[in-house]
PDB file of all heavy atoms in Angstrom:
ATOM      1  N   LEU W  21      14.482 -18.278  10.319  1.00 30.00           N
ATOM      2  CA  LEU W  21      15.920 -18.185   9.980  1.00 30.00           C
ATOM      3  C   LEU W  21      16.793 -19.082  10.948  1.00 30.00           C
ATOM      4  O   LEU W  21      16.636 -18.826  12.177  1.00 30.00           O
ATOM      5  CB  LEU W  21      16.322 -16.705  10.116  1.00 30.00           C
ATOM      6  CG  LEU W  21      16.007 -15.745   8.907  1.00 30.00           C
ATOM      7  CD1 LEU W  21      16.424 -14.337   9.336  1.00 30.00           C
ATOM      8  CD2 LEU W  21      16.835 -16.151   7.793  1.00 30.00           C
ATOM      9  N   GLU W  23      19.965 -18.697  11.730  1.00 33.00           N
ATOM     10  CA  GLU W  23      20.990 -17.862  12.390  1.00 33.00           C
ATOM     11  C   GLU W  23      20.232 -16.902  13.314  1.00 33.00           C
ATOM     12  O   GLU W  23      20.925 -16.154  14.008  1.00 33.00           O
ATOM     13  CB  GLU W  23      21.842 -17.142  11.461  1.00 33.00           C
ATOM     14  CG  GLU W  23      21.275 -15.993  10.644  1.00 33.00           C
ATOM     15  CD  GLU W  23      20.621 -16.384   9.403  1.00 33.00           C
ATOM     16  OE1 GLU W  23      20.526 -17.525   9.130  1.00 33.00           O
ATOM     17  OE2 GLU W  23      20.165 -15.455   8.593  1.00 33.00           O
ATOM     18  N   HIS W  24      18.907 -16.755  13.323  1.00 35.00           N
ATOM     19  CA  HIS W  24      18.201 -15.615  14.082  1.00 35.00           C
ATOM     20  C   HIS W  24      17.706 -16.408  15.445  1.00 35.00           C
ATOM     21  O   HIS W  24      17.476 -17.679  15.433  1.00 35.00           O
ATOM     22  CB  HIS W  24      17.087 -15.168  13.311  1.00 35.00           C
ATOM     23  CG  HIS W  24      16.676 -13.632  13.730  1.00 35.00           C
ATOM     24  ND1 HIS W  24      16.201 -13.527  15.005  1.00 35.00           N
ATOM     25  CD2 HIS W  24      16.822 -12.457  13.166  1.00 35.00           C
ATOM     26  CE1 HIS W  24      16.054 -12.231  15.194  1.00 35.00           C
ATOM     27  NE2 HIS W  24      16.348 -11.633  14.064  1.00 35.00           N
ATOM     28  N   ARG W  28      11.877 -15.607  16.452  1.00 39.00           N
ATOM     29  CA  ARG W  28      11.658 -14.745  15.336  1.00 39.00           C
ATOM     30  C   ARG W  28      11.415 -15.644  14.066  1.00 39.00           C
ATOM     31  O   ARG W  28      11.562 -16.679  13.949  1.00 39.00           O
ATOM     32  CB  ARG W  28      12.946 -13.983  14.868  1.00 39.00           C
ATOM     33  CG  ARG W  28      13.368 -13.120  16.011  1.00 39.00           C
ATOM     34  CD  ARG W  28      12.341 -11.847  16.133  1.00 39.00           C
ATOM     35  NE  ARG W  28      12.174 -11.258  14.961  1.00 39.00           N
ATOM     36  CZ  ARG W  28      11.513 -10.125  14.689  1.00 39.00           C
ATOM     37  NH1 ARG W  28      11.040  -9.565  15.797  1.00 39.00           N
ATOM     38  NH2 ARG W  28      11.369  -9.632  13.449  1.00 39.00           N
ATOM     39  N   VAL W  29      10.524 -15.003  13.103  1.00 39.00           N
ATOM     40  CA  VAL W  29      10.122 -15.633  11.989  1.00 39.00           C
ATOM     41  C   VAL W  29      10.615 -14.949  10.771  1.00 39.00           C
ATOM     42  O   VAL W  29      10.718 -13.599  10.781  1.00 39.00           O
ATOM     43  CB  VAL W  29       8.534 -15.659  11.930  1.00 39.00           C
ATOM     44  CG1 VAL W  29       8.098 -16.118  10.571  1.00 39.00           C
ATOM     45  CG2 VAL W  29       7.910 -16.417  13.055  1.00 39.00           C
ATOM     46  N   ASP W  30      11.305 -15.644   9.872  1.00 44.00           N
ATOM     47  CA  ASP W  30      11.818 -15.046   8.626  1.00 44.00           C
ATOM     48  C   ASP W  30      10.705 -14.558   7.752  1.00 44.00           C
ATOM     49  O   ASP W  30       9.608 -15.224   7.560  1.00 44.00           O
ATOM     50  CB  ASP W  30      12.615 -16.053   7.941  1.00 44.00           C
ATOM     51  CG  ASP W  30      13.354 -15.525   6.604  1.00 44.00           C
ATOM     52  OD1 ASP W  30      13.305 -14.363   6.511  1.00 44.00           O
ATOM     53  OD2 ASP W  30      13.577 -16.484   5.780  1.00 44.00           O
ATOM     54  N   VAL W  31      10.898 -13.448   7.076  1.00 46.00           N
ATOM     55  CA  VAL W  31       9.879 -13.009   6.281  1.00 46.00           C
ATOM     56  C   VAL W  31      10.113 -13.492   4.837  1.00 46.00           C
ATOM     57  O   VAL W  31       9.511 -13.153   3.881  1.00 46.00           O
ATOM     58  CB  VAL W  31       9.852 -11.423   6.247  1.00 46.00           C
ATOM     59  CG1 VAL W  31       9.261 -11.048   7.574  1.00 46.00           C
ATOM     60  CG2 VAL W  31      11.053 -10.831   5.815  1.00 46.00           C
ATOM     61  N   VAL W  35      11.695 -10.040   2.738  1.00 68.00           N
ATOM     62  CA  VAL W  35      12.814  -9.177   3.026  1.00 68.00           C
ATOM     63  C   VAL W  35      13.360  -8.568   1.734  1.00 68.00           C
ATOM     64  O   VAL W  35      13.551  -7.323   1.632  1.00 68.00           O
ATOM     65  CB  VAL W  35      13.917  -9.993   3.610  1.00 68.00           C
ATOM     66  CG1 VAL W  35      15.244  -9.207   3.691  1.00 68.00           C
ATOM     67  CG2 VAL W  35      13.483 -10.365   5.009  1.00 68.00           C
ATOM     68  N   GLU W  54      18.085   2.132   9.152  1.00 96.00           N
ATOM     69  CA  GLU W  54      17.240   1.039   9.439  1.00 96.00           C
ATOM     70  C   GLU W  54      17.028   0.950  10.958  1.00 96.00           C
ATOM     71  O   GLU W  54      17.911   0.902  11.692  1.00 96.00           O
ATOM     72  CB  GLU W  54      17.665  -0.328   9.076  1.00 96.00           C
ATOM     73  CG  GLU W  54      16.630  -1.369   9.435  1.00 96.00           C
ATOM     74  CD  GLU W  54      17.038  -2.890   9.083  1.00 96.00           C
ATOM     75  OE1 GLU W  54      18.099  -3.175   8.569  1.00 96.00           O
ATOM     76  OE2 GLU W  54      16.211  -3.797   9.496  1.00 96.00           O
ATOM     77  N   GLY W  56      15.800  -0.784  14.326  1.00 95.00           N
ATOM     78  CA  GLY W  56      15.591  -2.113  14.694  1.00 95.00           C
ATOM     79  C   GLY W  56      16.470  -3.068  13.744  1.00 95.00           C
ATOM     80  O   GLY W  56      16.000  -4.097  13.348  1.00 95.00           O
ATOM     81  N   VAL W  57      17.630  -2.579  13.534  1.00 95.00           N
ATOM     82  CA  VAL W  57      18.506  -3.467  12.570  1.00 95.00           C
ATOM     83  C   VAL W  57      18.746  -4.722  13.061  1.00 95.00           C
ATOM     84  O   VAL W  57      18.873  -5.764  12.204  1.00 95.00           O
ATOM     85  CB  VAL W  57      19.839  -2.682  12.287  1.00 95.00           C
ATOM     86  CG1 VAL W  57      20.712  -2.629  13.531  1.00 95.00           C
ATOM     87  CG2 VAL W  57      20.505  -3.257  11.003  1.00 95.00           C
ATOM     88  N   GLY W  58      18.780  -5.075  14.274  1.00 92.00           N
ATOM     89  CA  GLY W  58      18.984  -6.436  14.771  1.00 92.00           C
ATOM     90  C   GLY W  58      20.123  -7.192  14.243  1.00 92.00           C
ATOM     91  O   GLY W  58      21.299  -6.626  14.166  1.00 92.00           O
ATOM     92  N   THR W  59      19.839  -8.399  13.748  1.00 91.00           N
ATOM     93  CA  THR W  59      20.942  -9.090  13.173  1.00 91.00           C
ATOM     94  C   THR W  59      21.174  -9.020  11.687  1.00 91.00           C
ATOM     95  O   THR W  59      21.985  -9.660  11.054  1.00 91.00           O
ATOM     96  CB  THR W  59      20.732 -10.707  13.521  1.00 91.00           C
ATOM     97  OG1 THR W  59      19.622 -11.124  12.926  1.00 91.00           O
ATOM     98  CG2 THR W  59      20.833 -10.892  15.084  1.00 91.00           C
ATOM     99  N   GLY W  60      20.415  -8.086  11.173  1.00 91.00           N
ATOM    100  CA  GLY W  60      20.607  -7.566   9.769  1.00 91.00           C
ATOM    101  C   GLY W  60      19.882  -8.197   8.698  1.00 91.00           C
ATOM    102  O   GLY W  60      20.271  -8.258   7.425  1.00 91.00           O
ATOM    103  N   ARG W  61      18.629  -8.780   8.920  1.00 87.00           N
ATOM    104  CA  ARG W  61      17.880  -9.427   7.807  1.00 87.00           C
ATOM    105  C   ARG W  61      17.645  -8.449   6.665  1.00 87.00           C
ATOM    106  O   ARG W  61      17.749  -8.866   5.590  1.00 87.00           O
ATOM    107  CB  ARG W  61      16.562  -9.947   8.384  1.00 87.00           C
ATOM    108  CG  ARG W  61      16.718 -10.984   9.322  1.00 87.00           C
ATOM    109  CD  ARG W  61      15.416 -11.398   9.962  1.00 87.00           C
ATOM    110  NE  ARG W  61      14.726 -10.397  10.647  1.00 87.00           N
ATOM    111  CZ  ARG W  61      13.454  -9.992  10.532  1.00 87.00           C
ATOM    112  NH1 ARG W  61      12.592 -10.924   9.931  1.00 87.00           N
ATOM    113  NH2 ARG W  61      13.007  -9.058  11.122  1.00 87.00           N
ATOM    114  N   ILE W  62      17.262  -7.215   6.991  1.00 88.00           N
ATOM    115  CA  ILE W  62      16.981  -6.247   6.045  1.00 88.00           C
ATOM    116  C   ILE W  62      18.239  -5.620   5.485  1.00 88.00           C
ATOM    117  O   ILE W  62      18.424  -5.259   4.326  1.00 88.00           O
ATOM    118  CB  ILE W  62      15.952  -5.187   6.545  1.00 88.00           C
ATOM    119  CG1 ILE W  62      14.698  -5.819   6.951  1.00 88.00           C
ATOM    120  CG2 ILE W  62      15.605  -4.108   5.423  1.00 88.00           C
ATOM    121  CD1 ILE W  62      13.739  -6.514   6.110  1.00 88.00           C
ATOM    122  N   VAL W  63      19.089  -5.049   6.428  1.00 91.00           N
ATOM    123  CA  VAL W  63      20.187  -4.271   6.060  1.00 91.00           C
ATOM    124  C   VAL W  63      21.197  -5.119   5.075  1.00 91.00           C
ATOM    125  O   VAL W  63      21.687  -4.459   4.127  1.00 91.00           O
ATOM    126  CB  VAL W  63      21.106  -3.902   7.358  1.00 91.00           C
ATOM    127  CG1 VAL W  63      21.779  -4.914   7.934  1.00 91.00           C
ATOM    128  CG2 VAL W  63      22.031  -2.636   7.041  1.00 91.00           C
ATOM    129  N   ARG W  64      21.202  -6.277   5.161  1.00 89.00           N
ATOM    130  CA  ARG W  64      22.101  -7.199   4.193  1.00 89.00           C
ATOM    131  C   ARG W  64      21.584  -6.977   2.801  1.00 89.00           C
ATOM    132  O   ARG W  64      22.192  -6.927   1.835  1.00 89.00           O
ATOM    133  CB  ARG W  64      22.165  -8.507   4.631  1.00 89.00           C
ATOM    134  CG  ARG W  64      22.879  -8.822   5.810  1.00 89.00           C
ATOM    135  CD  ARG W  64      23.354 -10.286   6.062  1.00 89.00           C
ATOM    136  NE  ARG W  64      22.228 -11.133   6.513  1.00 89.00           N
ATOM    137  CZ  ARG W  64      21.997 -11.513   7.756  1.00 89.00           C
ATOM    138  NH1 ARG W  64      22.893 -11.206   8.651  1.00 89.00           N
ATOM    139  NH2 ARG W  64      20.821 -12.187   8.086  1.00 89.00           N
ATOM    140  N   GLN W  65      20.172  -7.078   2.601  1.00 88.00           N
ATOM    141  CA  GLN W  65      19.526  -6.757   1.382  1.00 88.00           C
ATOM    142  C   GLN W  65      19.773  -5.404   0.869  1.00 88.00           C
ATOM    143  O   GLN W  65      20.040  -5.157  -0.400  1.00 88.00           O
ATOM    144  CB  GLN W  65      18.121  -7.075   1.289  1.00 88.00           C
ATOM    145  CG  GLN W  65      17.685  -8.504   1.805  1.00 88.00           C
ATOM    146  CD  GLN W  65      18.124  -9.495   0.747  1.00 88.00           C
ATOM    147  OE1 GLN W  65      18.008  -9.182  -0.417  1.00 88.00           O
ATOM    148  NE2 GLN W  65      18.529 -10.727   1.146  1.00 88.00           N
ATOM    149  N   LEU W  86      25.384  -8.988  13.961  1.00 92.00           N
ATOM    150  CA  LEU W  86      25.553  -8.487  12.609  1.00 92.00           C
ATOM    151  C   LEU W  86      26.891  -8.075  12.314  1.00 92.00           C
ATOM    152  O   LEU W  86      27.437  -8.417  11.173  1.00 92.00           O
ATOM    153  CB  LEU W  86      24.510  -7.339  12.515  1.00 92.00           C
ATOM    154  CG  LEU W  86      24.571  -6.323  11.248  1.00 92.00           C
ATOM    155  CD1 LEU W  86      24.484  -7.311   9.923  1.00 92.00           C
ATOM    156  CD2 LEU W  86      23.569  -5.277  11.225  1.00 92.00           C
ATOM    157  N   VAL W 120      11.130  -2.862  10.040  1.00 85.00           N
ATOM    158  CA  VAL W 120      10.301  -4.021   9.801  1.00 85.00           C
ATOM    159  C   VAL W 120      10.356  -4.776  11.152  1.00 85.00           C
ATOM    160  O   VAL W 120      11.318  -5.073  11.638  1.00 85.00           O
ATOM    161  CB  VAL W 120      10.935  -4.853   8.684  1.00 85.00           C
ATOM    162  CG1 VAL W 120      10.116  -6.280   8.456  1.00 85.00           C
ATOM    163  CG2 VAL W 120      10.865  -4.103   7.365  1.00 85.00           C
ATOM    164  N   HIS W 121       9.208  -5.158  11.604  1.00 83.00           N
ATOM    165  CA  HIS W 121       8.945  -5.897  12.847  1.00 83.00           C
ATOM    166  C   HIS W 121       9.567  -5.182  13.957  1.00 83.00           C
ATOM    167  O   HIS W 121      10.156  -5.714  14.865  1.00 83.00           O
ATOM    168  CB  HIS W 121       9.601  -7.371  12.815  1.00 83.00           C
ATOM    169  CG  HIS W 121       9.051  -8.124  11.700  1.00 83.00           C
ATOM    170  ND1 HIS W 121       9.876  -8.883  10.854  1.00 83.00           N
ATOM    171  CD2 HIS W 121       7.801  -8.271  11.110  1.00 83.00           C
ATOM    172  CE1 HIS W 121       9.224  -9.633  10.078  1.00 83.00           C
ATOM    173  NE2 HIS W 121       7.920  -9.165  10.106  1.00 83.00           N
TER     174      HIS W 121
END
Side-chain angles (χ1 to χ4, degrees):
L21 274 173
E23 73 273 6
H24 203 299
R28 295 294 304 192
V29 176
D30 178 18
V31 294
V35 171
E54 183 184 356
V57 69
T59 58
R61 296 174 303 140
I62 306 292
V63 77
R64 286 191 289 254
Q65 298 293 322
L86 170 57
V120 176
H121 302 142

